[in-house]
Amino acid sequence: MFHFNTVKKAQKGDDSAFTKLIDKEKDKLYRIAFLYVKNESDSLDIVQETIYKAYISIGSLKNSSYFSTWLTRILINTALDFIKKNSKVIPIDQDSIERIQSADRIMLEDKMDLLKALERLPEKYKTVIILRFYQDLTIKQIAKLIECPEGTVKTNLHRAINELKGMLKEACINE
C-alpha cells in the first residue's frame, strides 16, 4: 500500500514524505476514531494526537511495510486513552450521523441501531468488529495489530457478533 521509500524517507526526517503518508491514511483514521467516540470534534482531536505520536516516534517503526498497521494501532490506543480519560458515554449525535452517512432514512435507522449496539459492546469486542468489518482486516492482521493470538481474535469476533445479533433482535422485538 505504501511506497517503501516514502516510509524510509519519513523515518529519516523528511517531513513531506511523512505528510504524504498521513494524507493517504487520514480519512481512515477519522472514521475509526469516530466509531469510538461518536463526536466530530473529539474524533479530530484523536486523529491529531495520533499524527503527533506517529511523527515523534516514526523512527521506532521496525518494518516499513507495516506503517498503516502501526498507525492504526496508535490511533486505537489514543482513542481508548481518550475514552478512559473522559470516562463518559458520548451519545450519538443525529446531525453528525446524517453528515457522515448519506443513506436513505430506513438505512440510517438500521445503521443507528447497529452503532448503538456497537457502542454497548465491551472494548475488546468493539475493536475486533471495527477492524474486521469497517477496516476489512483479516483475523491474522487483527491479531498482529492488537498483539494477541489469532484464536483469541476469532473467539472475540464470534462473541461480539453473537452479542450484536442479540442486541439487534431485541431492538426489533421492542419496536
Side-chain angles (χ1 to χ4, degrees):
M1 181 176 188
F2 292 101
H3 196 266
F4 178 77
N5 290 333
T6 307
V7 177
K8 284 294 182 196
K9 286 179 184 176
Q11 287 180 303
K12 291 179 181 172
D14 184 333
D15 290 344
S16 66
F18 183 79
T19 302
K20 283 180 190 176
L21 294 170
I22 294 301
D23 283 344
K24 291 179 184 176
E25 293 286 301
K26 65 184 174 188
D27 291 336
K28 178 183 83 169
L29 295 174
Y30 175 80
R31 285 192 309 271
I32 294 171
F34 191 86
L35 287 168
Y36 277 97
V37 296
K38 318 293 184 289
N39 176 291
E40 182 180 355
S41 176
D42 292 340
S43 298
L44 291 171
D45 288 346
I46 290 168
V47 170
Q48 184 176 10
E49 179 73 13
T50 299
I51 292 169
Y52 171 73
K53 288 177 180 178
Y55 182 77
I56 61 172
S57 62
I58 192 162
S60 69
L61 176 62
K62 291 177 178 71
N63 187 336
S64 300
S65 61
Y66 292 119
F67 176 79
S68 182
T69 303
W70 174 77
L71 189 61
T72 302
R73 177 97 177 137
I74 293 171
L75 178 91
I76 290 169
N77 289 335
T78 303
L80 293 174
D81 288 346
F82 177 88
I83 291 167
K84 284 178 197 164
K85 188 171 90 175
N86 293 304
S87 65
K88 61 183 178 189
V89 175
I90 300 169
I92 295 177
D93 176 15
Q94 180 68 31
D95 294 333
S96 295
I97 289 175
E98 287 177 352
R99 274 196 311 273
I100 290 174
Q101 300 167 337
S102 60
D104 63 28
R105 192 76 198 137
I106 294 169
M107 287 180 70
L108 180 60
E109 289 173 6
D110 290 344
K111 287 180 182 181
M112 285 175 51
D113 287 344
L114 180 59
L115 286 174
K116 285 178 186 175
L118 186 62
E119 191 176 304
R120 291 173 38 201
L121 286 176
E123 292 302 327
K124 65 182 180 179
Y125 294 164
K126 185 190 299 187
T127 297
V128 294
I129 289 288
I130 289 169
L131 293 175
R132 180 69 186 101
F133 297 107
Y134 287 85
Q135 294 303 310
D136 293 325
L137 296 181
T138 64
I139 300 293
K140 189 174 194 164
Q141 290 170 325
I142 295 169
K144 188 172 192 100
L145 182 66
I146 63 174
E147 298 172 347
C148 75
E150 287 180 38
T152 303
V153 172
K154 288 178 186 176
T155 299
N156 288 345
L157 190 57
H158 180 72
R159 289 178 180 166
I161 290 169
N162 285 338
E163 278 197 39
L164 284 173
K165 282 180 184 176
M167 287 183 221
L168 294 173
K169 271 186 194 172
E170 183 180 300
C172 288
I173 292 170
N174 291 336
E175 287 181 358

